């Protein structure tokens, strides 16, 4: 059981760091990196629960899906960031506020 | 159809025909159509005379003809109208026809220049029609109907000179006072119909004798009918209208307010006599006796010649009612007959005097002096001999001087009263009323004659213009003056002290159908017994009255002024008619009018304005409140409040919509944390 | 002539449509159209009178057609001895009313259109035998009346019209509730004839909220009708409406519309709730007494001649109420006194007709003087007898008819009412004979003040009553005189129906044997 806790702690730390990054960074790339951290924290949890929870390969499959998802997400998000940069000459997400009323 | 019924139809409807012709075409006819009315009334008189003569030739006291037809039919509820012709009817028809004829003739000159000459004759026709209707009625319903019609013709004729306020008032007063009596009449009819189920006299009599109605109910019913008689015959306390009715033309006063219409009350009492209970009769006697005395006491002091005659009429009618009450109702009818002749004549005489005065004053352009005031007359005896002598004959008759008609009839009444008082000593007052009134009558009638015809002229320069009236007016005077002698009423007998003759032979008293009453024989025997005593006393009191009058107004041995002062309050009461008009006005008319005004005020100003409209205002108020609730509360607060709340909510929470993604993430996180904290509990 | 009743009802509507088509400038042709329409209608009513079988006490000339079958509503018409005289009176008074309103200047087209609509409403109420139809006609009557008073009336016309409208509407709402109550209590039918058969038995013993259903329905319907009569204390709309209404409308209001109340009470309350008749008869007689005395006293105090005549209506309808109450005399408890019941109910129905003609006459005469002098203050006249002798003569006859002089029709019906009610309600009848005196007092006093005395100088050139006005009054005068002298033709028509009403009430009432 201790082992599971360890994984969970790491995942929680990773999640918190990711969250912190998402919330505090103004740089769009950095925010994306935070998201990646959060996703990977989730992955760790999936694998850990899969391993210790007696579920066969369910966790692994979900982990793979998340990785795929993360890759897709990174591709789309980076494309957005590049477009923002092209249009606004910045990747500071606070400046991208033209949709605000 | 029987001859009598046929003739009665003519007698009834000819005057009506004359009325219709006069009212529609009178003005356009030559002489304003007076000849239409006069020929109609002469034909009526002709038929009445034929019936009278046939009555005398038949000489049958039980003669009776009846005819009736269904007038109104609802199945079980029926009203039959019809004629009842017996000797009383025939005599009454003759009285009406005769006096009406005289009045028509007298009026030709008396109303010569009147603006409503044809209208006047029309109304005379209407009156004669309705009066004959009363006389011929064989049932209470048609009697009541003609009763009211007589009231209307009286209303129209009293108000003939309606431009004068007093005449208009008098006509209204006459009608309304009569209606008071008619209420009683109608209640009486309803009581009797309710018990007997028929209006016809014969059915009523047989119903009463078989006990369908008896006791107190019958007394009340009888008194109700008598109340109608009180109204028509101007008995106390409904006597107030008759003196005022003198506002009408004098021939009308002679016809209606002396001879016929006012006698209708007596006629009704005579007709319904068999159903009057002893209690009812006693009240009848007291009403009549008191009226006789009371009206006579007013007549003493009146100075208007027609007012004297009016109160004298009230008093004489009281006599007749007294006779009905004491049971000698044939004497009442006898007095009705003689009184009709001599009192009509007295009115014609006074009319002749007034006519003459009027012309004399007119010549002098004097429009202020009252042509009816005896204080403006005096010494007319030689100027108007026919009028004087004719009136003197009638005065003797009314005063009860032997050999004149009034002596006999009055004597018969007094004998009956005396006999009644002898049988019932506790009712001695009735005899005192009777004899007292006789004395007073003799006094004031001769006072009237003396003031008018004797002595020195009060307005000396007027006397030269006083002339005897034209022959249209003296004709009736001569005829009726002659009829004041006793002989016409006692033929074939000619004893001036005995009533026996055709009248007593043909008009026999009927037995009352009410148990407990004295029979006709008993009453007659009593009256016969009291006859001589009554005769002596009545001659005595009449002589006393005449002597006193002579002493006051011819000999001047006593001064009227001094005596008037000495008996100040009595004189005051008498000359003011015991303040009846004033008190009625004060205690009846005015309170009624005030009550009416109050009621109308309550109805309109209070009930309608506050209650009904208040109801409206209440609804209005409720609707305002509910409107307020609807708008101010439901609409403004609840409905609009919801919207406002939503908008406030939006405005408040708009602030957290920063558009910064990371803030949202922060909120989400915070939310998750809060949820987790909540979850952990 | 199978559809004579429908013709009577819908003829005025046809006239109304014609009036609506005629351009408004052609006033003369509008008037003539109205006169022709009402004239034909009057002739039809006379034909109806002629064809009517007076021996038959039931409904005649019946018409029936399905209308709204899902609610059992039918177009059902019929006429009997109770409604026939009223139908004839309606025909006559509307015909006369056209000539009375000949001189209306304002919006002639609208006036006559509404006038004819009113005619349909009144005719419909008298002829319908279906409650739903009855109620619709009842309301149809109300609306034109509102406009006729409110637009062509006197200075206070709006107030008078709205008061009349609300007051009457209040009554008809109660009536509607009563009708619906009957509908649901008696097997869902609106047919009056059927209800007359069913209701007395169906309602017997039925309780609503602990109160007898008969009493509840009786009171609801009675108030609805009483407002129309008008019975004290529901009478105050009447003087106001009369005073403000134009002459012809006053004539119709007094002549016919008031009769609807009495008609309704006899047709509906008496027919459907015989028990209620027993329960209510004393109250009915007592209300009659109050009407007589209160109306009489109020009339005595009036200063406005038209208001006096209006209060005289209150007074006269009181006699009718007293007479109606007499029906109970035929019951076993009162000794099976059929005579009294016939006299009373017959008198009440006769009084309806007589008051219709007499009060119509009075209002026309008031209109005549108002048109000339432009006021109606009784005190303001004086001495008119010498100025207008013909008018005076006719008014005298009308006033004498009003005060119940024998020889004129009013006397017979009043006497019959009294004689009929006397065996049962002695005290009330004796007390109400005071009305005989009050009638005479207010009419004669007014007569004296208007016609007697010196002629008021202001009126020394007042024109005499003209031919058109004479044409409107004389027929009524002749009817009053004719029935006053010879009432049989009228009583023959109604007597079979009266008998069947009396027998119906007596035989179906459970109180009757008590």
């Amino acid at each position: 059981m201790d082992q599971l806790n360890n994984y969970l702690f790491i995942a929680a730390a990773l999640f918190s760091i990711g969250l912190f990054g998402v919330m505090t960074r103004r740089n769009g790339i950095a925010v994306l990196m935070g998201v990646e951290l959060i996703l990977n924290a989730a992955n760790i949890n999936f694998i850990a629960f899969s391993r210790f929870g007696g579920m066969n390969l369910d966790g692994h499959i979900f982990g793979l899906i998340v990785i795929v998802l993360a890759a897709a997400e990174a591709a789309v998000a980076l494309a957005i960031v590049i477009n923002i940069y092209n249009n606004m000459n910045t990747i500071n997400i606070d400046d991208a506020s033209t949709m605000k009323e | 159809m029987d001859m009598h019924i046929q003739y009665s139809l003519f007698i009834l409807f000819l005057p009506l025909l004359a009325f219709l012709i006069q009212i529609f075409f009178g003005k356009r006819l030559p002489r304003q159509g007076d000849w239409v009315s006069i020929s109609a009334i002469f034909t009526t008189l002709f038929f009445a005379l034929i019936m009278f003569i046939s009555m005398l030739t038949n000489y049958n006291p039980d003669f009776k003809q009846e005819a009736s037809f269904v007038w109104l039919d609802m199945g079980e509820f029926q009203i039959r109208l019809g004629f009842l012709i017996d000797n009383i009817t025939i005599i009454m028809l003759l009285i009406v026809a005769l006096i009406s004829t005289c009045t028509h003739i007298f009026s030709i000159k008396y109303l010569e220049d009147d603006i409503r000459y044809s209208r006047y004759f029309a109304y005379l026709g209407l009156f004669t029609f309705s009066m004959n209707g009363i006389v011929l009625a064989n049932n209470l319903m048609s009697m009541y109907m003609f009763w009211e019609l007589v009231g209307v013709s009286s209303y129209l004729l009293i108000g003939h000179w309606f431009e004068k306020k007093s005449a208009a008032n008098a006509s209204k007063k006459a009608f309304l006072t009569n209606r008071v009596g008619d209420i009683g009449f109608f209640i009486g009819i309803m009581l009797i119909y309710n018990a007997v189920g028929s209006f016809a006299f014969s059915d009523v009599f047989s119903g009463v004798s078989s006990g369908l109605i008896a006791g107190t109910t019958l007394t009340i019913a009888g008194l109700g009918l008598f109340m109608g008689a009180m109204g028509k015959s101007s008995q106390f306390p409904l006597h107030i209208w008759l003196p005022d009715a003198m506002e009408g033309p004098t021939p009308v006063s002679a016809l209606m307010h002396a001879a016929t219409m006012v006698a209708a009350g007596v006629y009704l009492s005579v007709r319904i006599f068999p159903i009057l209970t002893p209690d009812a009769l006693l009240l009848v006697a007291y009403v009549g006796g008191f009226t006789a005395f009371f009206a006579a006491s007013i007549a003493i002091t009146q100075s208007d010649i027609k007012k004297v005659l009016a109160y004298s009429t009230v008093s004489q009618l009281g006599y007749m009612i007294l006779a009905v009450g004491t049971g000698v109702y044939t004497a009442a009818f006898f007095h009705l007959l003689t009184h009709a002749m001599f009192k009509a004549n007295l009115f014609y005489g006074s009319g002749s005097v007034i006519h003459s005065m009027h012309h004399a004053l007119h010549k002098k352009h004097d429009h202020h002096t009252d042509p009816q005031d005896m204080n403006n007359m005096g010494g007319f005896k030689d100027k108007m001999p026919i009028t004087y002598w004719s009136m003197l004959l009638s005065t003797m008759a009314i005063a009860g001087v032997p050999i004149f008609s009034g002596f006999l009839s009055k004597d018969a009444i007094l004998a009956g009263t005396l006999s009644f008082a002898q049988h019932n000593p506790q009712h001695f007052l009735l005899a005192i009323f009777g004899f007292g009134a006789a004395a007073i009558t003799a006094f004031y009638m001769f006072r009237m004659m003396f003031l008018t015809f004797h002595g020195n002229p009060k307005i000396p320069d007027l006397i030269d213009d006083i002339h005897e009236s034209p022959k249209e007016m003296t004709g009736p005077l001569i005829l009726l003056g002659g009829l004041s002698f006793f002989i016409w009423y006692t033929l074939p007998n000619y004893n001036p002290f005995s009533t026996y003759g055709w009248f007593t032979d043909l008009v026999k008293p009927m037995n009352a159908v009410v148990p407990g009453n004295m029979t006709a024989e008993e009453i007659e025997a009593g009256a016969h017994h009291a006859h001589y005593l009554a005769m002596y006393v009545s001659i005595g009191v009449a002589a006393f009255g005449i002597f006193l009058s002579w002493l006051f107004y011819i000999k001047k041995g006593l001064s009227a002024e001094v005596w008037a002062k000495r008996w100040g309050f009595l004189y005051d009461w008498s000359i003011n008619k015991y303040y009846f008009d004033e008190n009625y006005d004060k205690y009846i008319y005015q309170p009624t009018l005030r009550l009416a005004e109050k009621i109308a005020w309550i109805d309109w100003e209070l009930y309608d304005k506050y209650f009904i409209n208040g109801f409206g205002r209440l609804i209005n108020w409720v609707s305002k409140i509910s409107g307020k609730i609807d708008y101010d509360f439901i609409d403004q607060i609840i409905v609009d409040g919801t919207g406002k709340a939503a908008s406030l909510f939006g405005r408040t929470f708009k602030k957290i919509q920063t558009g910064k993604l990371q803030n949202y993430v922060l909120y989400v996180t915070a939310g998750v944390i809060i949820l987790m904290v909540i979850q952990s509990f | 002539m199978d559809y004579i009743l429908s013709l009577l009802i819908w003829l005025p509507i046809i006239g109304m449509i014609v009036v609506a088509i005629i351009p408004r400038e052609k006033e003369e042709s509008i008037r003539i159209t109205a006169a022709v329409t009402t004239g034909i209608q009057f002739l039809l009513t006379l034909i109806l009178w002629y064809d009517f079988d007076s021996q038959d006490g039931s409904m005649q000339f019946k018409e029936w057609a399905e209308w709204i079958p899902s609610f059992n509503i039918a177009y059902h018409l019929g006429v009997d001895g109770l409604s026939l005289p009223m139908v004839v009176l309606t025909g006559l008074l509307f015909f006369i009313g056209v000539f009375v309103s000949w001189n209306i200047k304002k919006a002639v087209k609208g006036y006559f259109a509404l006038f004819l609509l009113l005619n349909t409403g009144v005719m419909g109420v008298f002829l319908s035998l279906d409650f739903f139809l009855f109620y619709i006609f009842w309301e149809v009557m109300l609306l034109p009346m509102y406009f006729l008073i409110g637009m062509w009336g006197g200075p206070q016309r709006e107030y008078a019209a709205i008061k009349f409208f609300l007051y009457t509407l209040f009554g008809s709402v109660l009536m509607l509730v009563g009708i619906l109550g009957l509908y649901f209590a008696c097997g869902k039918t609106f047919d009056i004839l059927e209800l007359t058969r069913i209701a007395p038995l169906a309602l017997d013993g039925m309780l609503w909220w602990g109160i007898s259903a008969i009493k509840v329905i009786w009171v609801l319907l009675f108030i609805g009708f009483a407002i129309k009569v008008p019975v004290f204390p529901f009478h105050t709309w009447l003087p106001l409406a009369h005073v403000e209404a134009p002459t012809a409308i006053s004539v119709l209001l007094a002549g016919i519309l008031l009769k609807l109340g009495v008609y309704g009470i006899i047709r509906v309350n008496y027919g459907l709730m015989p028990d209620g008749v027993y329960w209510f008869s004393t109250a009915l007689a007592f209300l009659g007494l109050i009407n007589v005395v209160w109306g009489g006293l109020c009339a005595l105090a009036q200063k406005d001649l038209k208001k006096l005549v209006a209060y005289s209506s209150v007074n006269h309808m009181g006699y009718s109420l007293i007479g109606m109450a007499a029906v109970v005399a035929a019951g076993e408890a009162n000794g099976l006194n059929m005579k009294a019941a016939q006299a009373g109910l017959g008198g009440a129905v006769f009084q309806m007709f007589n008051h219709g003609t007499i009060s119509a006459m009075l209002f026309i005469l008031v209109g005549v003087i108002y048109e000339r002098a432009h006021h109606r203050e009784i005190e303001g006249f004086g001495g008119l007898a010498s100025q207008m002798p013909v008018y005076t003569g006719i008014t005298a006859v009308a006033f004498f008819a009003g005060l119940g002089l024998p020889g004129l029709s009013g006397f017979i019906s009043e006497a019959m009412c009294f004689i009929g009610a006397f065996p049962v309600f002695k005290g009330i009848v004796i007390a109400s004979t005071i009305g005989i005196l009050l009638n005479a007092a207010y009419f004669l006093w007014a007569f004296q003040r208007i016609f007697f005395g010196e002629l008021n100088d202001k009126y020394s050139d007042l024109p005499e009553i003209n031919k058109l006005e004479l044409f409107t009054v004389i027929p009524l005068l002749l009817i009053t005189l004719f029935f006053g002298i010879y009432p049989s033709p009228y009583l023959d028509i109604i007597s079979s129906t009266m008998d069947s009403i009396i027998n119906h009430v007596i035989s179906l009432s459970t109180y009757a044997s008590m």
Side-chain angles (χ1 to χ4, degrees), chain C residues 286-326:
Chain C
F286 190 71
L287 287 171
L289 165 65
I290 296 182
N291 257 36
V292 167
V293 175
W294 189 274
L297 282 172
C298 283
L300 189 59
Q302 293 312 316
K303 296 183 173 59
D304 181 326
L305 183 59
K306 208 169 179 185
K307 225 163 153 183
L308 181 145
V309 177
Y311 273 111
S312 86
S313 292
V314 176
N315 167 288
H316 280 123
M317 293 318 284
Y319 297 118
S320 223
L321 296 177
I322 293 173
M324 274 159 62

Side-chain angles (χ1 to χ4, degrees), chain C residues 249-392:
Chain C
I249 302 309
S250 293
V251 168
L252 296 174
L253 195 58
I256 308 172
L257 269 74
L258 302 192
K259 308 302 164 307
L260 288 165
V262 177
Y263 171 80
I265 295 173
I266 296 178
R267 169 75 77 228
V268 179
N269 285 25
Y270 275 48
L272 273 53
M273 287 160 285
D275 274 346
V277 178
Y278 271 82
W279 170 65
F280 207 72
S281 60
T282 309
L284 199 61
F286 190 71
L287 287 171
L289 165 65
I290 296 182
N291 257 36
V292 167
V293 175
W294 189 274
L297 282 172
C298 283
L300 189 59
Q302 293 312 316
K303 296 183 173 59
D304 181 326
L305 183 59
K306 208 169 179 185
K307 225 163 153 183
L308 181 145
V309 177
Y311 273 111
S312 86
S313 292
V314 176
N315 167 288
H316 280 123
M317 293 318 284
Y319 297 118
S320 223
L321 296 177
I322 293 173
M324 274 159 62
V327 169
V328 297
E332 219 168 292
N334 298 307
L336 300 171
N337 194 343
M338 195 66 185
K339 266 184 196 175
Q342 280 176 343
L345 192 63
V349 173
F350 198 19
Q351 172 76 352
M352 263 161 81
F353 185 86
N354 292 339
H355 178 255
T357 49
I358 293 168
S359 69
M361 197 154 63
L362 289 170
F363 276 115
I364 293 174
L365 290 166
V366 174
V368 168
I369 194 73
Y370 182 67
E371 203 154 276
R372 284 163 176 66
H374 304 292
H375 76 90
R376 293 181 302 248
E377 288 298 309
I378 297 173
E379 298 287 355
F381 297 108
L384 293 188
S386 38
Q387 181 64 29
M388 310 165 75
V390 179
Y391 177 72
T392 309

Side-chain angles (χ1 to χ4, degrees), chain B residues 71 76 169 603 607-608 613, chain C residues 159 163 233 235 294 311 485:
Chain B
W71 177 61
E76 306 230 346
N169 275 334
D603 192 66
Y607 173 70
D608 185 61
N613 287 6
Chain C
Y159 171 56
K163 190 164 186 172
H235 64 287
W294 189 274
Y311 273 111
I485 296 166

